[in-house]
Amino acid sequence: MLDTKVAELLNAQVNKEFYSAYLYLDFSIYYGEQGLEGFANWYKVQAQEERDHAMLFLQYLQNNGCKVTLEAIDKPDKTFASFGEPLRAGYEHEQYVTSLIHTIYDAASTAKDFRTMQFLDWFVKEQGEEETNAEALIKKYDLFGSDPRALYMLDGELAARVYSAPSLVL
């Protein structure tokens, strides 16, 4: 049985990950409406990843005999005035998710819940990759986004991203 606080934080993370998927799906819709199908694809894949992260947390809770409580998913409320704004919002969101993972890890460490710490190790690494990818995308956009031809090429690069399910063993 998991420590009560750890289980509560893990359960809350299920909701946070589903919100992340919802947020990135909203970004995808925005870019699709703007005619940037590559950017839309990039965030659609990102939404799939976040949904799978939620499912991993959910399955971990179930595997440890914990009740899972699904909460309402907040509606994304951002509006954008430029193509770069969702990129920056995505990076800030990834930093926020990293802080959530660290909070759960700290609670697991305090409870000497080594199994949960080991489970979270994958997410700690994943969040590092998520922040790096988000920051790299901002840098590319800042370099090329003001040139329509370069933006077209960057959009084409992002269109090539394909979904790959996580390979975490529970």
Side-chain angles (χ1 to χ4, degrees):
M1 202 64 184
L2 295 178
D3 174 80
T4 303
K5 180 178 180 182
V6 171
E8 288 173 2
L9 289 169
L10 289 167
N11 199 91
Q13 192 64 29
V14 171
N15 182 266
K16 300 290 187 186
E17 297 290 341
F18 278 129
Y19 173 77
S20 295
Y22 220 48
L23 180 67
Y24 292 146
L25 188 57
D26 191 51
F27 290 4
S28 175
I29 291 166
Y30 165 78
Y31 281 120
E33 290 171 349
Q34 303 304 314
L36 291 171
E37 294 303 323
F39 282 80
N41 175 67
W42 200 91
Y43 276 110
K44 193 175 292 181
V45 170
Q46 198 63 30
Q48 289 174 302
E49 282 189 10
E50 302 303 339
R51 181 205 60 222
D52 279 356
H53 294 169
M55 296 303 291
L56 288 168
F57 280 104
L58 187 149
Q59 188 64 54
Y60 183 77
L61 285 163
Q62 289 179 325
N63 288 353
N64 285 278
C66 296
K67 179 175 175 27
V68 177
T69 304
L70 298 176
E71 301 294 338
I73 301 171
D74 291 336
K75 176 182 176 184
D77 62 353
K78 300 214 182 274
T79 56
F80 306 111
S82 73
F83 298 147
E85 287 181 17
L87 305 177
R88 285 170 179 60
Y91 179 58
E92 290 172 10
H93 184 73
E94 289 301 338
Q95 291 175 315
Y96 168 68
V97 172
T98 297
S99 75
L100 295 172
I101 300 294
H102 290 174
T103 297
I104 303 168
Y105 200 100
D106 183 54
S109 177
T110 299
K112 297 188 187 309
D113 182 351
F114 303 111
R115 184 176 52 220
T116 298
M117 291 166 60
Q118 184 179 22
F119 168 72
L120 291 172
D121 282 342
W122 183 87
F123 287 97
V124 170
K125 182 177 182 268
E126 175 71 8
Q127 281 309 121
E129 292 172 9
E130 296 285 12
E131 286 186 31
T132 298
N133 290 340
E135 190 174 28
L137 191 51
I138 291 168
K139 286 178 183 176
K140 285 181 181 181
Y141 178 79
D142 286 348
L143 283 171
F144 307 118
S146 61
D147 176 7
R149 285 176 286 188
L151 181 62
Y152 178 79
M153 290 176 63
L154 179 56
D155 191 57
E157 176 186 323
L158 298 178
R161 184 180 187 200
V162 295
Y163 178 68
S164 177
S167 59
L168 178 63
V169 177
L170 298 177

